[in-house]
Amino acid sequence: MRLLLRARSPRMVCWQLMPPSVRSGCARFIFLLLTCALLGSCSAGPRHSGFSGGALRLDSETAGRMRHAAALKRAAGVAVSTVAAASTIALLAPEVLGFFQNDEEELSRLETALLACVQRAERDINAERFGYGAPTAADCKAVVGVDRCGRPIYQSMELGNLKHARALACMQDILKELWPGPVSIEQRYRFYQHAKVLETVSREQEKRLLEADCAEELRGTIKPDVVLHADRKLLRAILILDLKFPCPADRDPKWTGYGDTSVYAGSNQREIYGDAFGGKALMMSPKGIFE
């Protein structure tokens, strides 16, 4: 017995000499200590809630989209107060957000992609034409030709047409994927404002009108760049987008006003588009989206 005790450690000897009731209490205490240690190690492990040290962390794509949306709102003169306000279109045309079942992230995704088309068209056409950068005021005013009626064609007009074509080709693919309703791109209409009657002009008829343009056969027609429909009623729209490429680029985009000889005298494009289609008309330029 003495030899056996000598072979054991002092701790084991103490444990053996303890009364059974004491040993039971010690065992429960040790179990509690082990449990607390395990819980502590779990709580100290990696967190998957998106928080670290009390700060919300976003992935780079989401953060970039939110910064971009905030910049657009500042460009439109709107204060950004919450993270949720991420879409300029949702702000300026709330009914469109309802069309997206209040999914502002999805609307913001569409908005960002469309705006990227406009900005890329501005950048690429300028690079192809000038190489060194954006056109100057003198470049914009330069006369580059005349039309069939002998009217001067300014370089600003030519650049605008090129940028429109490039941006719309890009936007068409995006809208097919992300817009849940029908889309009309560069469709010409004839609008009888007083009668509130709108009718489409076929491509063949438009060609004949353009050929007779010197006789002002296009008078009374409108041609918005993008008309977004909420259903199959293609003479109604929830949103109308018109692309603007100011020249030079530091000018603010603005709606075209109708002169005294127009059937829409005293109005501008935004007013006529809204009146004709019943939806919200917005401008989209390289600087952002505006009313």
Side-chain angles (χ1 to χ4, degrees):
M1 182 67 177
R2 289 177 182 175
L3 292 175
L4 182 61
L5 288 173
R6 286 195 189 100
R8 293 178 182 177
S9 67
R11 292 179 182 177
M12 288 295 297
V13 171
C14 291
W15 179 265
Q16 292 290 336
L17 294 176
M18 287 182 183
S21 61
V22 175
R23 287 203 301 268
S24 176
C26 290
R28 286 196 297 271
F29 180 71
I30 293 170
F31 177 76
L32 288 173
L33 286 176
L34 290 173
T35 302
C36 290
L38 288 172
L39 289 174
S41 65
C42 292
S43 64
R47 299 180 181 182
H48 301 282
S49 63
F51 286 85
S52 177
L56 177 63
R57 295 187 298 178
L58 301 172
D59 63 273
S60 58
E61 180 183 358
T62 302
R65 183 169 61 243
M66 288 167 57
R67 285 195 299 270
H68 175 73
L72 291 181
K73 288 182 174 9
R74 286 193 293 270
V78 179
V80 182
S81 58
T82 63
V83 171
S87 167
T88 301
I89 291 178
L91 179 70
L92 300 177
E95 59 275 15
V96 179
L97 183 58
F99 184 56
F100 276 79
Q101 298 180 339
N102 294 319
D103 188 343
E104 192 165 358
E105 182 177 355
E106 191 67 17
L107 179 56
S108 180
R109 179 185 173 208
L110 170 65
E111 176 182 309
T112 302
L114 293 179
L115 191 59
C117 289
V118 175
Q119 293 168 336
R120 191 180 305 120
E122 168 87 355
R123 182 176 60 251
D124 291 352
I125 296 299
N126 284 346
E128 292 169 12
R129 175 64 61 94
F130 303 100
Y132 59 85
T136 64
D139 292 329
C140 296
K141 294 177 182 177
V143 177
V144 294
V146 293
D147 64 12
R148 292 190 306 272
C149 305
R151 296 172 296 207
I153 299 175
Y154 297 98
Q155 188 160 221
S156 59
M157 298 163 57
E158 187 175 59
L159 290 171
N161 289 336
L162 292 171
K163 292 171 184 178
H164 266 80
R166 185 74 60 89
L168 289 172
C170 171
M171 293 170 71
Q172 187 168 13
D173 293 336
I174 291 169
L175 288 166
K176 284 180 181 178
E177 178 185 355
L178 299 180
W179 182 259
V183 177
S184 298
I185 295 181
E186 288 196 306
Q187 170 64 53
R188 189 176 292 277
Y189 304 84
R190 190 176 293 279
F191 179 46
Y192 301 93
Q193 185 179 17
H194 297 295
K196 303 297 182 185
V197 173
L198 180 70
E199 59 186 25
T200 57
V201 175
S202 67
R203 301 295 181 183
E204 295 76 14
Q205 187 180 4
E206 181 184 23
K207 183 179 179 182
R208 292 195 299 271
L209 293 175
L210 289 170
E211 292 172 352
D213 188 31
C214 297
E216 295 188 349
E217 291 297 321
L218 292 175
R219 193 168 183 264
T221 66
I222 56 177
K223 190 176 181 179
D225 292 320
V226 180
V227 179
L228 302 176
H229 310 279
D231 50 37
R232 292 294 172 181
K233 298 177 182 176
L234 301 185
L235 294 179
R236 305 297 293 170
I238 191 171
L239 183 66
I240 306 99
L241 297 174
D242 219 51
L243 309 189
K244 303 294 181 183
F245 294 94
C247 190
D250 59 357
R251 292 174 51 198
D252 291 330
K254 64 179 182 179
W255 293 103
T256 300
Y258 296 100
D260 294 337
T261 60
S262 171
V263 296
Y264 310 125
S267 300
N268 61 30
Q269 288 175 313
R270 181 180 65 84
E271 294 165 338
I272 295 302
Y273 291 167
D275 198 14
F277 296 98
K280 184 77 172 185
L282 299 176
M283 291 185 294
M284 183 172 282
S285 84
K287 290 184 177 182
I289 300 173
F290 306 87
E291 280 189 300

